[in-house]
Amino acid sequence: MKKRLFALVACLSILLSTTAMAGVTEDLVVDATAASNNVVVLIPGICGSELVNSAGTKIWVGLGSLTSQILCSESGVPSITLSPYNNDNYGTLDLYKTLYNNLKDRYSSEADVKFFAYDWRLGNATAASRLKSLISGYSGQIVLIAHSMGGLVVSDYLRQATSSQRSRTTFISLGTPFTGAPKAVQVMETGQMFPDIPTDYDTQYVQNLCRNMPAAYELLPTSRADAFLQVNGTDQTYANAWNILKSRSWSRFTNGSGNKPMMANSVTFHNNQKQSNGAPYALAARNTVMISSYGYSTVAKVNYSLSNGTYSVASVVSTNNGDGTVPAYSGQNQLSNTDSHVVRLSSAGNHIGLVSNSTVYSRILQAASAGLAGVTLSAVQTPAEVEAVPTAVVNERGWIVGDDVDGRRIQVIARGVGEPKITTNDGKVCSKFGDDLFVDGTYIDGTYIGACWELSNDSFQIELMNDEYQIEIEPLSDNAEVEVSYMDSGYYENNAKYFIDNNNQTEYSINLDSFDKQKVAVSSVSGKLVEPIRVASLAALQAMNAD
């Protein structure tokens, strides 16, 4: 509880420190006398731009800046008009500072380097229209570098752009969910949209925010996505999956009058991303380079249980073929692993870390420099790189297998419990940033050890890389249970379920040593062994692996 209280105080401190900023509420001004004919624009993802109200006060500066002014109605209409804050070029919490400064240092002598702030609550077509207005002031080369949802903004800009603009544009995307992200379904269910927002803060508030934002619905999986939803472990067609989502309370008006318009609008938006020849507008630029990272535990499917006509999130199906948020297939816009537009990088930063990874940055420079030189890229991968990541390394479970990536995971599903506390075998605390887990709270390359996904307000699914950990769990009811599995590249190797007796103890720990079955145990803090109520037989494991 102390940890949650500290997080809440930190959030409120940020909220109370917002100050009035004079003269920053005007909308985007097109630079009619640009310093250069060329332009390089950095487009952030969802939540990546600071927002100000009509008084010039920063309303969204990052974690903790949650006020009623940022909410939208159930029809997706903002409670008040907010404007993007364009003056710092670094985005929310300075997330894009390093990338922007590097671009500025490298290209300011040959192009205007811009940070494109926008109201990320609105539909991406709205932001795309503003982006087109910005670009209309330039007659030379156009380089657009977009992170996450920013790539959807660019995709729609390419739809709206003139043929001249397209022929001069180089589009570089970083982890863009072109065909949506199954994790967006989980976010809609739990309301856990922002990193490190404590559940004590106001869960209903955060849920109302993300469930009423038009842009958030455009992150849901599209008809071009891989199978993204299961019911009782069985894959659903897109039509069935979408009907299930339309039946969920978060997608419907609370007065019972039907679905919120954002559901249909999101379908229209993605249908509009296809050119008349069926190719995505993302490929309408002269050069398109889609960069994605893999090796991180990523939600691939959401599995609902159906009992007595009621759906509830039972678990998620994961893969390591993604950046922790966006599956690789979506970041590649469903293109093959060997397509010349695709750059796949192993462990090159999780979804947020992509913007500060040195390997990613070198690829950005490669494409951006070619674009500013007016060169058409025939390929963005060398033959050796194409050979290194052939289609065959993705197994039938959707996991990347090979020497350069670890597919082993410890999976723990805990129900009827508080948020688990995870430590390494040598006592280092594993901290969450969003759903990703890092050792010692250090958010740098090399400290990523897995993910902790919230399934409901008292259920969690944890996936840890191969190592030894201790997980402390506080049962909230007499029916609390924990399921522990060892997995390798999506296949179950061991599975056991434990029931936590809540009569005498308040906390239990699970001591795990991956792939050493003799050390699997769930014990109380006092050391009393809790025997499993079920251990999967070989036949049961085979059935689980056959799903």
Side-chain angles (χ1 to χ4, degrees):
M1 183 58 70
K2 290 181 180 179
K3 181 178 179 182
R4 291 184 179 178
L5 179 60
F6 174 80
L8 176 57
V9 171
C11 288
L12 291 176
S13 298
I14 295 173
L15 174 61
L16 295 174
S17 67
T18 56
T19 57
M21 308 294 292
V24 297
T25 59
E26 60 206 55
D27 202 5
L28 182 72
V29 177
V30 177
D31 190 353
T33 57
S36 169
N37 287 329
N38 304 326
V39 64
V40 175
V41 187
L42 176 57
I43 303 100
I46 194 169
C47 307
S49 305
E50 295 181 331
L51 303 175
V52 297
N53 63 15
S54 59
T57 302
K58 284 189 178 181
I59 300 304
W60 171 256
V61 297
L63 309 182
S65 54
L66 301 178
T67 76
S68 60
Q69 295 184 63
I70 205 171
L71 291 175
C72 297
S73 71
E74 287 192 324
S75 295
V77 178
S79 58
I80 64 170
T81 300
L82 298 178
S83 300
Y85 179 66
N86 290 295
N87 291 17
D88 66 359
N89 297 317
Y90 296 155
T92 303
L93 300 178
D94 289 347
L95 176 63
Y96 300 95
K97 180 178 181 179
T98 300
L99 179 54
Y100 176 84
N101 283 342
N102 281 324
L103 293 170
K104 186 78 171 177
D105 292 344
R106 179 65 178 265
Y107 297 120
S108 59
S109 63
E110 55 186 309
D112 284 354
V113 180
K114 303 279 189 180
F115 180 87
F116 178 71
Y118 62 97
D119 189 341
W120 38 263
R121 301 171 303 166
L122 308 180
N124 287 295
T126 300
S129 178
R130 294 184 66 251
L131 179 61
K132 183 185 178 185
S133 295
L134 169 66
I135 292 171
S136 67
Y138 296 88
S139 59
Q141 304 304 317
I142 302 163
V143 176
L144 306 179
I145 302 158
H147 175 234
S148 191
M149 191 181 76
L152 298 183
V153 174
V154 175
S155 177
D156 203 72
Y157 149 75
L158 289 167
R159 179 183 68 84
Q160 299 183 34
T162 65
S163 58
S164 172
Q165 287 174 322
R166 292 173 191 157
S167 69
R168 293 181 281 117
T169 296
T170 292
F171 172 27
I172 306 164
S173 68
L174 312 176
T176 291
F178 287 106
T179 62
K183 186 175 179 179
V185 177
Q186 178 211 356
V187 168
M188 289 295 191
E189 291 287 349
T190 64
Q192 293 298 305
M193 181 176 181
F194 306 113
D196 294 347
I197 295 294
T199 53
D200 311 48
Y201 186 81
D202 187 344
T203 300
Q204 190 62 51
Y205 176 95
V206 179
Q207 288 177 341
N208 288 341
L209 176 59
C210 70
R211 294 172 177 178
N212 293 324
M213 284 171 41
Y217 284 78
E218 292 171 6
L219 300 177
L220 291 170
T222 74
S223 59
R224 296 177 57 229
D226 289 359
F228 66 90
L229 191 145
Q230 293 183 332
V231 175
N232 295 336
T234 301
D235 285 353
Q236 301 296 298
T237 65
Y238 172 77
N240 285 349
W242 198 250
N243 283 334
I244 291 170
L245 297 188
K246 288 171 67 176
S247 74
R248 305 299 294 152
S249 60
W250 49 262
S251 73
R252 302 181 66 83
F253 286 107
T254 54
N255 64 10
S257 60
N259 285 107
K260 298 173 183 175
M262 292 85 80
M263 289 294 286
N265 291 345
S266 68
V267 174
T268 299
F269 172 80
H270 282 284
N271 286 341
N272 286 343
Q273 300 315 300
K274 292 181 286 188
Q275 302 178 59
S276 58
N277 62 1
Y281 269 109
L283 297 180
R286 180 182 62 209
N287 296 320
T288 298
V289 179
M290 292 170 283
I291 301 175
S292 60
S293 178
Y294 64 91
Y296 300 86
S297 295
T298 305
V299 176
K301 304 176 185 180
V302 175
N303 178 36
Y304 284 93
S305 64
L306 176 60
S307 178
N308 298 322
T310 300
Y311 290 101
S312 60
V313 178
S315 62
V316 299
V317 178
S318 66
T319 176
N320 66 347
N321 193 13
D323 62 19
T325 298
V326 178
Y329 71 77
S330 186
Q332 297 169 194
N333 213 341
Q334 293 291 358
L335 297 180
S336 71
N337 295 346
T338 55
D339 190 283
S340 62
H341 294 285
V342 171
V343 173
R344 292 164 52 81
L345 301 172
S346 175
S347 302
N350 71 331
H351 187 66
I352 295 176
L354 275 165
V355 301
S356 56
N357 182 270
S358 59
T359 303
V360 173
Y361 180 58
S362 68
R363 295 312 186 93
I364 292 173
L365 290 184
Q366 176 189 19
S369 296
L372 287 175
V375 175
T376 298
L377 290 169
S378 59
V380 293
Q381 296 188 95
T382 67
E385 290 167 336
V386 172
E387 277 299 314
V389 195
T391 305
V393 300
V394 181
N395 70 14
E396 61 183 9
R397 309 287 282 192
W399 283 66
I400 290 282
V401 295
D403 295 336
D404 63 337
V405 62
D406 194 344
R408 295 172 294 177
R409 295 291 189 275
I410 303 164
Q411 181 187 88
V412 179
I413 300 177
R415 297 185 174 91
V417 302
E419 184 169 325
K421 175 184 176 182
I422 306 167
T423 55
T424 63
N425 192 43
D426 56 359
K428 294 180 179 178
V429 175
C430 301
S431 302
K432 284 182 64 178
F433 188 84
D435 289 336
D436 291 330
L437 293 169
F438 297 85
V439 177
D440 268 352
T442 306
Y443 182 63
I444 58 174
D445 289 345
T447 64
Y448 172 89
I449 52 94
C452 178
W453 296 302
E454 183 172 336
L455 305 177
S456 67
N457 61 3
D458 66 350
S459 298
F460 301 86
Q461 181 168 324
I462 304 164
E463 297 211 354
L464 300 168
M465 305 284 277
N466 181 39
D467 204 340
E468 189 171 343
Y469 303 90
Q470 177 170 295
I471 305 176
E472 292 185 3
I473 292 177
E474 179 184 0
L476 301 179
S477 71
D478 292 336
N479 297 319
E481 64 179 29
V482 177
E483 185 174 346
V484 181
S485 302
Y486 289 155
M487 305 177 67
D488 191 356
S489 300
Y491 289 96
Y492 291 89
E493 295 202 346
N494 194 4
N495 174 273
K497 182 177 288 188
Y498 300 82
F499 173 74
I500 298 181
D501 183 357
N502 196 31
N503 292 330
N504 300 313
Q505 298 290 337
T506 58
E507 289 188 335
Y508 287 83
S509 62
I510 308 170
N511 296 303
L512 305 171
D513 187 4
S514 178
F515 295 93
D516 186 345
K517 281 71 173 179
Q518 301 305 314
K519 292 188 178 181
V520 182
V522 177
S523 59
S524 70
V525 173
S526 62
K528 176 184 176 183
L529 182 67
V530 179
E531 297 291 343
I533 58 174
R534 176 185 61 74
V535 177
S537 64
L538 179 59
L541 288 174
Q542 290 174 339
M544 294 168 69
N545 288 328
D547 289 341

